[in-house]
Amino acid sequence: RKEVEQDPGPFNVPEGATVAFNCTYSNSASQSFFWYRQDCRKEPKLLMSVYSSGNEDGRFTAQLNRASQYISLLIRDSKLSDSATYLCVVKKDLGAQKLVFGQGTRLTINP
Amino acid sequence: EAQVTQNPRYLITVTGKKLTVTCSQNMNHEYMSWYRQDPGLGLRQIYYSMNVEVTDKGDVPEGYKVSRKEKRNFPLILESPSPNQTSLYFCASSLVGSGNTIYFGEGSWLTVV
């Protein structure tokens, strides 16, 4: 079983739709959680951190469920520019910088 | 401008011909790391370094070497490249500690024939 698992998609949704991605992680000792965005043939960039209480950044909402070892990302009112691959990322402990990446979920927003 | 710079960005090479992919950061970060990205497998860590002269293996270190003689540079060395090392490689850096953003280089596309 992979340490971090995501549905690879692809997801094709119309502009303006709401789309949700899910991610599960296997290591219950994981401490920090993130969503990264990666455009085609480009480097990953941090989209947002995920906090236990849930957090929102504009049209993006991230949720963490430690009991179920589950992370989600919700995108509301999707834009064409949201088309990208979204990577679920888990950091194992607070001191080290080791990140474990999911394989990514590919999203295409259609006009 | 804060950045992580990798070179070369694109390379086609032949099996067994030693090559080095350079990585340099201008943010005075202690931590640097190399990842490879392959379809269906996501990003996997090759090696990382917590500071000068401190390096350690990641999840897929076989066939690679690294060095950290200076804080800003973290080259990735393929002593004898093989076709299964054809991949997209990313260098990354950050300050050490939780909550610090990791910055990635633009990636190096490597093909070994």
Side-chain angles (χ1 to χ4, degrees), chain B residues 7-77:
Chain B
N7 277 297
R9 295 285 319 283
Y10 304 92
L11 179 66
I12 301 174
T13 191
V14 296
T15 298
K17 185 177 180 182
K18 179 180 178 180
L19 71 93
T20 299
V21 186
T22 63
C23 175
S24 180
Q25 49 92 7
N26 62 0
M27 296 168 278
N28 203 35
H29 287 166
E30 302 95 348
Y31 177 86
M32 296 186 76
S33 180
W34 277 102
Y35 295 86
R36 61 178 288 175
Q37 186 173 30
D38 302 289
L41 296 176
L43 276 89
R44 294 178 293 167
Q45 190 177 52
I46 303 171
Y47 268 95
Y48 66 96
S49 169
M50 298 295 283
N51 214 324
V52 176
E53 302 292 2
V54 181
T55 63
D56 213 339
K57 296 178 180 179
D59 299 313
V60 288
E62 295 79 19
Y64 305 94
K65 287 172 61 175
V66 292
S67 68
R68 189 86 182 275
K69 297 177 182 176
E70 306 165 279
K71 199 171 188 178
R72 64 182 291 125
N73 296 323
F74 190 46
L76 179 69
I77 304 155

Side-chain angles (χ1 to χ4, degrees), chain A residues 2-3 32 34 36 38 40-46 49 85 87 91-104, chain B residues 9-10 31 35 37 40-45 50 58-59 88 90 94-102 104-107 109:
Chain A
K2 293 178 181 176
E3 284 193 70
S32 305
F34 311 90
Y36 274 71
Q38 186 175 24
C40 188
R41 296 175 176 262
K42 301 279 184 128
E43 73 275 23
K45 293 185 178 177
L46 179 65
S49 301
T85 295
L87 305 171
K91 191 177 351 177
K92 287 185 176 179
D93 61 74
L94 293 174
Q97 295 296 106
K98 180 174 174 60
L99 302 178
V100 181
F101 288 80
Q103 65 176 346
Chain B
R9 295 285 319 283
Y10 304 92
Y31 177 86
Y35 295 86
Q37 186 173 30
L41 296 176
L43 276 89
R44 294 178 293 167
Q45 190 177 52
M50 298 295 283
D59 299 313
L88 172 58
F90 287 105
S94 77
L95 294 170
V96 172
S98 64
N100 289 307
T101 300
I102 289 188
F104 286 86
E106 292 183 299
W109 290 86

